[in-house]
Amino acid sequence: MMLSPRAAAVLLAGFFLLPGCGDSDDDDDDDKGDDTAEDGDDGGDDGGDDGGDDGGDDGGDDTAEPPFAPQAGHWTFTGGELLSDTCQYDADDIPVGEGSGMTIALTSGTGFTIQIDSDSVQHPCTWDEAQNFTCTPAYSQSSLSSEGLDNAYIEAYLTFSGNFQATGLVNTSIQVDIDCGGDSTECDLAEFFGDVEFPCGASFAAYGQAD
C-alpha cells in the first residue's frame, strides 16, 4: 500500500516522538515544555495542512467542467453531400439534406438515439471522449414484387457515425450497404434493369445543428 505524502509525514512525526517516553522523572519539567512546544507545532501543522488541503480540493471541484453530452431534442440538417457511390444513387436520393432533421434522445452517460424525421426507427448510438460517435447498423428488407420480381428482395444496412464539434453541432456520416436476396435469376434481372451490381454501397455526409 502506498502512503500519501501527508499520511507518511504524520507517521514519521509519531516515530520520532517515541524516544521521549523513555526519559527519567528528573526531566519531567523539560518534557512538559517539550510536549507543549510539540503540541503547538502539531496544531500549526494540522491547521495549515487542513486549510490548504480543503481549500485546494474545494476549489478544484468547483471549477471542474461537466462531462460532454449532445443537446437532446430536434436537430436540423444544414446540408449534405454524396461522398461515394457504387449503387447508382441520384443526388436527390440523399437520405438527409438541407432542411430535413432528426431527433436526439439521451439514454445513458454516453448513449443516445437518432431518429430521422422521415423514419420511425430509433438508431442506438454511443459517443467517446473525443466526441466521436457510432451507431448500431439498422437492417431493412424490401420486396421487389412491385417490379415484377416476386421472389427477390433488396436488403440494406444503414449505419450512422460522426463527430460532435460542440453540444449543438455535428458532422454525420451515413453508410448504406445494399444487396439482393432470394431468387438469383431475379436478382440478375434486378441488376440488369437497375444498371447496378450487387452488393453495392454509398456514403453520405450530413451537417446538422440543434434547433
Side-chain angles (χ1 to χ4, degrees):
M1 180 177 69
M2 181 175 291
L3 296 173
S4 68
R6 175 168 171 73
V10 171
L11 288 177
L12 286 173
F15 174 80
F16 284 115
L17 286 174
L18 286 176
C21 296
D23 289 347
S24 65
D25 293 338
D26 293 339
D27 296 332
D28 284 345
D29 293 338
D30 293 339
D31 290 340
K32 291 177 182 178
D34 292 340
D35 289 342
T36 302
E38 288 161 0
D39 290 342
D41 290 341
D42 289 343
D45 291 342
D46 291 343
D49 290 341
D50 290 343
D53 290 344
D54 291 344
D57 291 342
D58 291 343
D61 292 341
D62 292 341
T63 58
E65 292 185 4
F68 169 82
Q71 184 173 318
H74 191 266
W75 292 52
T76 299
F77 290 110
T78 57
E81 59 182 315
L82 182 63
L83 300 178
S84 64
D85 173 32
T86 59
C87 293
Q88 307 302 323
Y89 258 88
D90 188 283
D92 294 333
D93 293 330
I94 295 177
V96 294
E98 185 174 354
S100 60
M102 66 178 179
T103 298
I104 286 181
L106 303 181
T107 57
S108 68
T110 57
F112 66 103
T113 60
I114 288 177
Q115 182 176 339
I116 301 301
D117 287 352
S118 58
D119 194 1
S120 61
V121 177
Q122 293 183 339
H123 304 269
C125 313
T126 57
W127 73 82
D128 61 21
E129 292 181 354
Q131 299 172 199
N132 297 316
F133 71 89
T134 56
C135 304
T136 303
Y139 175 80
S140 65
Q141 188 179 107
S142 302
S143 172
L144 289 175
S145 58
S146 62
E147 307 299 326
L149 305 174
D150 295 331
N151 299 306
Y153 55 87
I154 294 295
E155 52 185 2
Y157 287 91
L158 179 66
T159 306
F160 292 88
S161 61
N163 174 263
F164 291 103
Q165 288 79 49
T167 58
L169 200 63
V170 68
N171 281 352
T172 304
S173 296
I174 304 168
Q175 176 68 37
V176 181
D177 294 299
I178 298 175
D179 203 354
C180 183
D183 185 86
S184 59
T185 300
E186 291 192 358
C187 281
D188 289 341
L189 290 173
E191 286 184 330
F192 177 78
F193 289 111
D195 191 25
V196 63
E197 183 176 345
F198 297 115
C200 66
S203 62
F204 311 85
Y207 318 107
Q209 61 184 25
D211 293 353

mmCIF file of all heavy atoms in Angstrom, residues 56-77:
data_model
loop_
_atom_site.group_PDB
_atom_site.id
_atom_site.type_symbol
_atom_site.label_atom_id
_atom_site.label_comp_id
_atom_site.label_asym_id
_atom_site.label_seq_id
_atom_site.Cartn_x
_atom_site.Cartn_y
_atom_site.Cartn_z
ATOM 1 N N GLY A 56 -7.745 23.755 -1.435
ATOM 2 C CA GLY A 56 -7.327 23.320 -2.762
ATOM 3 C C GLY A 56 -8.314 22.360 -3.379
ATOM 4 O O GLY A 56 -8.680 22.465 -4.536
ATOM 5 N N ASP A 57 -8.804 21.368 -2.554
ATOM 6 C CA ASP A 57 -9.734 20.381 -3.091
ATOM 7 C C ASP A 57 -11.043 21.025 -3.513
ATOM 8 O O ASP A 57 -11.595 20.745 -4.561
ATOM 9 C CB ASP A 57 -9.998 19.287 -2.059
ATOM 10 C CG ASP A 57 -8.769 18.416 -1.830
ATOM 11 O OD1 ASP A 57 -7.863 18.455 -2.700
ATOM 12 O OD2 ASP A 57 -8.721 17.736 -0.813
ATOM 13 N N ASP A 58 -11.583 21.898 -2.619
ATOM 14 C CA ASP A 58 -12.872 22.518 -2.930
ATOM 15 C C ASP A 58 -12.796 23.363 -4.179
ATOM 16 O O ASP A 58 -13.676 23.340 -5.030
ATOM 17 C CB ASP A 58 -13.330 23.386 -1.747
ATOM 18 C CG ASP A 58 -13.698 22.521 -0.541
ATOM 19 O OD1 ASP A 58 -13.910 21.298 -0.737
ATOM 20 O OD2 ASP A 58 -13.752 23.056 0.561
ATOM 21 N N GLY A 59 -11.696 24.112 -4.308
ATOM 22 C CA GLY A 59 -11.561 24.970 -5.482
ATOM 23 C C GLY A 59 -11.498 24.167 -6.757
ATOM 24 O O GLY A 59 -12.086 24.510 -7.763
ATOM 25 N N GLY A 60 -10.773 22.998 -6.714
ATOM 26 C CA GLY A 60 -10.673 22.170 -7.917
ATOM 27 C C GLY A 60 -12.017 21.605 -8.330
ATOM 28 O O GLY A 60 -12.356 21.557 -9.487
ATOM 29 N N ASP A 61 -12.823 21.164 -7.334
ATOM 30 C CA ASP A 61 -14.122 20.589 -7.657
ATOM 31 C C ASP A 61 -15.043 21.631 -8.284
ATOM 32 O O ASP A 61 -15.801 21.336 -9.194
ATOM 33 C CB ASP A 61 -14.769 20.020 -6.392
ATOM 34 C CG ASP A 61 -14.016 18.797 -5.885
ATOM 35 O OD1 ASP A 61 -13.254 18.200 -6.680
ATOM 36 O OD2 ASP A 61 -14.183 18.459 -4.717
ATOM 37 N N ASP A 62 -14.984 22.868 -7.765
ATOM 38 C CA ASP A 62 -15.888 23.903 -8.238
ATOM 39 C C ASP A 62 -15.628 24.279 -9.694
ATOM 40 O O ASP A 62 -16.532 24.683 -10.404
ATOM 41 C CB ASP A 62 -15.773 25.163 -7.363
ATOM 42 C CG ASP A 62 -16.323 24.900 -5.959
ATOM 43 O OD1 ASP A 62 -17.092 23.926 -5.807
ATOM 44 O OD2 ASP A 62 -15.975 25.646 -5.035
ATOM 45 N N THR A 63 -14.363 24.145 -10.133
ATOM 46 C CA THR A 63 -14.011 24.584 -11.485
ATOM 47 C C THR A 63 -14.014 23.432 -12.497
ATOM 48 O O THR A 63 -13.710 23.660 -13.656
ATOM 49 C CB THR A 63 -12.632 25.259 -11.477
ATOM 50 O OG1 THR A 63 -11.651 24.343 -10.962
ATOM 51 C CG2 THR A 63 -12.649 26.516 -10.604
ATOM 52 N N ALA A 64 -14.318 22.209 -12.053
ATOM 53 C CA ALA A 64 -14.303 21.065 -12.970
ATOM 54 C C ALA A 64 -15.409 21.221 -14.021
ATOM 55 O O ALA A 64 -16.529 21.596 -13.708
ATOM 56 C CB ALA A 64 -14.512 19.766 -12.192
ATOM 57 N N GLU A 65 -15.060 20.929 -15.269
ATOM 58 C CA GLU A 65 -16.030 21.051 -16.353
ATOM 59 C C GLU A 65 -16.974 19.852 -16.348
ATOM 60 O O GLU A 65 -16.562 18.728 -16.091
ATOM 61 C CB GLU A 65 -15.313 21.117 -17.701
ATOM 62 C CG GLU A 65 -14.511 22.389 -17.903
ATOM 63 C CD GLU A 65 -13.921 22.469 -19.309
ATOM 64 O OE1 GLU A 65 -14.219 21.553 -20.107
ATOM 65 O OE2 GLU A 65 -13.192 23.418 -19.583
ATOM 66 N N PRO A 66 -18.251 20.059 -16.616
ATOM 67 C CA PRO A 66 -19.188 18.938 -16.672
ATOM 68 C C PRO A 66 -18.868 18.048 -17.871
ATOM 69 O O PRO A 66 -18.289 18.513 -18.859
ATOM 70 C CB PRO A 66 -20.552 19.624 -16.846
ATOM 71 C CG PRO A 66 -20.233 20.953 -17.465
ATOM 72 C CD PRO A 66 -18.898 21.352 -16.898
ATOM 73 N N PRO A 67 -19.200 16.753 -17.807
ATOM 74 C CA PRO A 67 -18.926 15.867 -18.945
ATOM 75 C C PRO A 67 -19.724 16.284 -20.169
ATOM 76 O O PRO A 67 -20.813 16.847 -20.063
ATOM 77 C CB PRO A 67 -19.374 14.493 -18.424
ATOM 78 C CG PRO A 67 -20.338 14.797 -17.324
ATOM 79 C CD PRO A 67 -19.866 16.066 -16.696
ATOM 80 N N PHE A 68 -19.168 15.966 -21.349
ATOM 81 C CA PHE A 68 -19.827 16.333 -22.605
ATOM 82 C C PHE A 68 -21.103 15.515 -22.806
ATOM 83 O O PHE A 68 -21.169 14.332 -22.474
ATOM 84 C CB PHE A 68 -18.889 16.099 -23.785
ATOM 85 C CG PHE A 68 -19.585 16.199 -25.121
ATOM 86 C CD1 PHE A 68 -19.807 17.428 -25.701
ATOM 87 C CD2 PHE A 68 -20.062 15.055 -25.760
ATOM 88 C CE1 PHE A 68 -20.471 17.535 -26.916
ATOM 89 C CE2 PHE A 68 -20.724 15.151 -26.967
ATOM 90 C CZ PHE A 68 -20.924 16.392 -27.550
ATOM 91 N N ALA A 69 -22.112 16.141 -23.378
ATOM 92 C CA ALA A 69 -23.317 15.451 -23.822
ATOM 93 C C ALA A 69 -23.947 16.285 -24.932
ATOM 94 O O ALA A 69 -24.037 17.510 -24.816
ATOM 95 C CB ALA A 69 -24.312 15.261 -22.687
ATOM 96 N N PRO A 70 -24.357 15.653 -26.034
ATOM 97 C CA PRO A 70 -25.035 16.415 -27.100
ATOM 98 C C PRO A 70 -26.389 16.913 -26.608
ATOM 99 O O PRO A 70 -26.986 16.338 -25.697
ATOM 100 C CB PRO A 70 -25.194 15.389 -28.224
ATOM 101 C CG PRO A 70 -25.202 14.066 -27.521
ATOM 102 C CD PRO A 70 -24.289 14.212 -26.350
ATOM 103 N N GLN A 71 -26.870 17.963 -27.226
ATOM 104 C CA GLN A 71 -28.162 18.534 -26.833
ATOM 105 C C GLN A 71 -29.296 17.599 -27.238
ATOM 106 O O GLN A 71 -29.362 17.146 -28.376
ATOM 107 C CB GLN A 71 -28.343 19.902 -27.481
ATOM 108 C CG GLN A 71 -29.621 20.627 -27.067
ATOM 109 C CD GLN A 71 -29.653 22.042 -27.601
ATOM 110 O OE1 GLN A 71 -28.650 22.753 -27.568
ATOM 111 N NE2 GLN A 71 -30.797 22.462 -28.105
ATOM 112 N N ALA A 72 -30.163 17.296 -26.303
ATOM 113 C CA ALA A 72 -31.324 16.457 -26.603
ATOM 114 C C ALA A 72 -32.401 17.292 -27.293
ATOM 115 O O ALA A 72 -32.523 18.490 -27.056
ATOM 116 C CB ALA A 72 -31.871 15.837 -25.324
ATOM 117 N N GLY A 73 -33.171 16.646 -28.165
ATOM 118 C CA GLY A 73 -34.248 17.336 -28.866
ATOM 119 C C GLY A 73 -34.072 17.288 -30.370
ATOM 120 O O GLY A 73 -33.331 16.451 -30.901
ATOM 121 N N HIS A 74 -34.724 18.202 -31.053
ATOM 122 C CA HIS A 74 -34.711 18.185 -32.517
ATOM 123 C C HIS A 74 -33.509 18.942 -33.073
ATOM 124 O O HIS A 74 -33.118 19.986 -32.548
ATOM 125 C CB HIS A 74 -35.995 18.796 -33.071
ATOM 126 C CG HIS A 74 -36.150 18.571 -34.542
ATOM 127 N ND1 HIS A 74 -35.749 19.484 -35.502
ATOM 128 C CD2 HIS A 74 -36.647 17.498 -35.232
ATOM 129 C CE1 HIS A 74 -35.992 18.996 -36.698
ATOM 130 N NE2 HIS A 74 -36.543 17.803 -36.573
ATOM 131 N N TRP A 75 -32.922 18.372 -34.133
ATOM 132 C CA TRP A 75 -31.797 18.979 -34.848
ATOM 133 C C TRP A 75 -32.214 19.158 -36.313
ATOM 134 O O TRP A 75 -33.014 18.375 -36.835
ATOM 135 C CB TRP A 75 -30.568 18.086 -34.798
ATOM 136 C CG TRP A 75 -29.934 17.938 -33.449
ATOM 137 C CD1 TRP A 75 -30.537 17.579 -32.277
ATOM 138 C CD2 TRP A 75 -28.555 18.130 -33.141
ATOM 139 N NE1 TRP A 75 -29.624 17.532 -31.259
ATOM 140 C CE2 TRP A 75 -28.398 17.864 -31.762
ATOM 141 C CE3 TRP A 75 -27.441 18.495 -33.895
ATOM 142 C CZ2 TRP A 75 -27.167 17.962 -31.124
ATOM 143 C CZ3 TRP A 75 -26.206 18.594 -33.259
ATOM 144 C CH2 TRP A 75 -26.089 18.331 -31.892
ATOM 145 N N THR A 76 -31.649 20.156 -36.968
ATOM 146 C CA THR A 76 -31.910 20.396 -38.392
ATOM 147 C C THR A 76 -30.620 20.258 -39.173
ATOM 148 O O THR A 76 -29.578 20.784 -38.762
ATOM 149 C CB THR A 76 -32.509 21.799 -38.609
ATOM 150 O OG1 THR A 76 -33.752 21.888 -37.912
ATOM 151 C CG2 THR A 76 -32.740 22.062 -40.093
ATOM 152 N N PHE A 77 -30.683 19.547 -40.299
ATOM 153 C CA PHE A 77 -29.522 19.405 -41.165
ATOM 154 C C PHE A 77 -29.369 20.653 -42.027
ATOM 155 O O PHE A 77 -30.328 21.111 -42.661
ATOM 156 C CB PHE A 77 -29.634 18.160 -42.044
ATOM 157 C CG PHE A 77 -29.504 16.880 -41.273
ATOM 158 C CD1 PHE A 77 -30.602 16.053 -41.096
ATOM 159 C CD2 PHE A 77 -28.296 16.507 -40.711
ATOM 160 C CE1 PHE A 77 -30.499 14.881 -40.379
ATOM 161 C CE2 PHE A 77 -28.174 15.331 -39.990
ATOM 162 C CZ PHE A 77 -29.272 14.513 -39.823
#
